[in-house]
Amino acid sequence: MSDLSRRQMFLKLAAAFNGAIGVVLAIPIVSYLFSPVTRGENAGYDRWIPLGPIDQFPVGQTRLATYRNPGASPTDGETAEIPCWVRNIDGNKLQVFAINCAHLGCPVRWFPQSRLFMCPCHGGAYYEDGSRASGPPERGLFEYAFKIVDGAVHIKAGELQTPGLSSATRKLIQIEGHPCA
Ligand code: FES
């Protein structure tokens, strides 16, 4: 084999190798760009997520529920399971609270005996309707928009509830969470 043909062969091999590397690097970018199409219309972070049948949340009680983070990928495993508190007021009217304290985000716990949510980090406390009772939090618990469809509770969980959430979004949550919505 002459020097020229050997050089041409190495050039072709190098070009093929570079092309293969380019394809591998392009896969995540292309799948990101086309994910809204490939995952279907019932995907994405801004969609209604089922929490379970309304029967799981007895009237007058507050129960823990979990949902899967709509922005999670299959490799996120159990870390994508997010808890929230569901308060069933009268069977039609609910409140679904983010589990995170409105102070610095620690998970709050519900104490049915005192009918209070308590934060283990700095002693923040909230009444059963989520309003602030005492401690460092400057406001009540954040709430998810909810609706009841075919006997199942759904929430709009795409916007993680944080103090940075815009006031316009908070208003939307309150309106959508109304039982007449
Ligand atoms: Fe809950 Fe500070 S994080 S009181």
Side-chain angles (χ1 to χ4, degrees), residues 100-108 118-126 134-137:
N100 303 96
C101 179
H103 179 220
L104 293 178
C106 290
V108 298
M118 302 290 293
C119 177
C121 290
H122 313 107
Y126 305 85
S134 66

Side-chain angles (χ1 to χ4, degrees), residues 86-170:
V86 181
R87 176 187 181 219
N88 188 340
I89 300 171
D90 63 6
N92 290 313
K93 191 173 180 193
L94 307 181
Q95 285 183 291
V96 184
F97 301 110
I99 197 162
N100 303 96
C101 179
H103 179 220
L104 293 178
C106 290
V108 298
R109 285 190 59 197
W110 167 246
F111 289 84
Q113 303 86 350
S114 55
R115 308 204 71 77
L116 288 171
F117 293 98
M118 302 290 293
C119 177
C121 290
H122 313 107
Y126 305 85
Y127 295 114
E128 65 180 329
D129 65 356
S131 58
R132 176 188 177 276
S134 66
E138 295 183 353
R139 54 152 294 151
L141 292 171
F142 294 98
E143 289 186 49
Y144 295 103
F146 77 89
K147 64 181 180 182
I148 301 171
V149 179
D150 296 333
V153 181
H154 293 67
I155 60 169
K156 202 79 169 276
E159 295 274 8
L160 288 180
Q161 311 301 299
T162 67
L165 199 63
S166 72
S167 57
T169 310
R170 280 191 204 121

Side-chain angles (χ1 to χ4, degrees), residues 8 14 21 29 36 61 68 82 163 170 174:
Q8 283 175 339
I21 297 280
I29 298 170
Q61 294 191 28
R68 188 158 180 86
I82 300 178
R170 280 191 204 121
Q174 286 159 8

Side-chain angles (χ1 to χ4, degrees), residues 45-109:
Y45 77 94
D46 192 23
R47 64 188 167 101
W48 290 99
I49 297 175
L51 276 187
I54 185 73
D55 303 349
Q56 288 183 0
F57 309 105
V59 174
Q61 294 191 28
T62 298
R63 292 276 177 94
L64 191 67
T66 58
Y67 67 89
R68 188 158 180 86
N69 183 346
S73 69
T75 56
D76 289 335
E78 288 191 17
T79 61
E81 300 296 325
I82 300 178
C84 59
W85 292 105
V86 181
R87 176 187 181 219
N88 188 340
I89 300 171
D90 63 6
N92 290 313
K93 191 173 180 193
L94 307 181
Q95 285 183 291
V96 184
F97 301 110
I99 197 162
N100 303 96
C101 179
H103 179 220
L104 293 178
C106 290
V108 298
R109 285 190 59 197

